[in-house]
Amino acid sequence: MMGNGMMGRGMMEDMMRNMEEIGKKTSFSSNGERIFYTGINSEGKVIKNNHGMQGAGCAMCHGVDARGMRMMMMDVPGIRWDILIDPKGHVHPDGRRHPPFTEESFKVCVLLGIDPSGNQLSTMMPRWQISKEDLDYLIGYLKNLAEDK
């Protein structure tokens, strides 16, 4: 075992730093950014998910920079748009493979937990009950992150 139980000291510090950064974020440049950080939709309501999490958005697990991070006992992938659409596709640590995402396949992933090859994602990934409009806002934000490299 590593430092703090099953998590190494560095991993725990990274997770805590991520949480601190999320907590510092009080204003948002777009609905997509607010959804990413807080899981709050354009109407100011919590976006429901099958985990029952409230007030948590994508940044909680995918990192404030959306580049992914190690969390608990799993590697959480990056979701910046440039990462998602990598022409080489994706090979995950568990061996799962799939082609690059499109907007439509990303929506299926968020809503149903299915990647572009039809593979079921880990149950650790919440299935979100997000509107089409809010999902479009989120995708726009992820695309803007990619442009800000």
Side-chain angles (χ1 to χ4, degrees):
M1 280 213 235
M2 302 156 87
N4 295 334
M6 295 295 282
M7 296 190 303
R9 186 180 321 272
M11 184 189 324
M12 182 61 115
E13 289 169 357
D14 289 347
M15 287 172 51
M16 295 305 292
R17 233 184 336 273
N18 190 60
M19 294 295 295
E20 287 174 23
E21 290 299 314
I22 291 169
K24 289 179 191 175
K25 191 76 172 161
T26 58
S27 64
F28 306 98
S29 62
S30 67
N31 286 327
E33 184 179 30
R34 179 175 53 197
I35 292 165
F36 177 80
Y37 274 91
T38 67
I40 304 294
N41 69 18
S42 57
E43 297 173 356
K45 297 179 182 170
V46 170
I47 300 169
K48 294 181 181 179
N49 62 74
N50 68 326
H51 286 191
M53 297 178 342
Q54 293 189 13
C58 311
M60 177 71 69
C61 299
H62 294 278
V64 294
D65 62 0
R67 293 184 189 276
M69 58 189 275
R70 179 103 176 125
M71 189 164 193
M72 304 303 189
M73 294 175 48
M74 66 182 292
D75 291 309
V76 180
I79 58 170
R80 291 170 62 106
W81 201 251
D82 55 334
I83 295 170
L84 293 171
I85 64 168
D86 183 336
K88 295 179 292 205
H90 303 267
V91 178
H92 296 271
D94 65 359
R96 181 172 55 89
R97 300 171 169 270
H98 60 82
F101 281 91
T102 63
E103 285 189 24
E104 287 310 308
S105 65
F106 181 75
K107 290 175 183 181
V108 169
C109 184
V110 171
L111 296 169
L112 303 175
I114 299 171
D115 75 18
S117 284
N119 299 309
Q120 194 73 38
L121 296 175
S122 163
T123 57
M124 296 297 290
M125 170 64 188
R127 280 40 169 183
W128 296 89
Q129 297 171 17
I130 183 172
S131 72
K132 179 188 178 323
E133 179 182 52
D134 285 328
L135 201 41
D136 287 341
Y137 288 138
L138 175 61
I139 290 170
Y141 176 70
L142 297 175
K143 287 180 177 182
N144 285 338
L145 280 179
E147 292 170 5
D148 291 343
K149 293 182 188 178

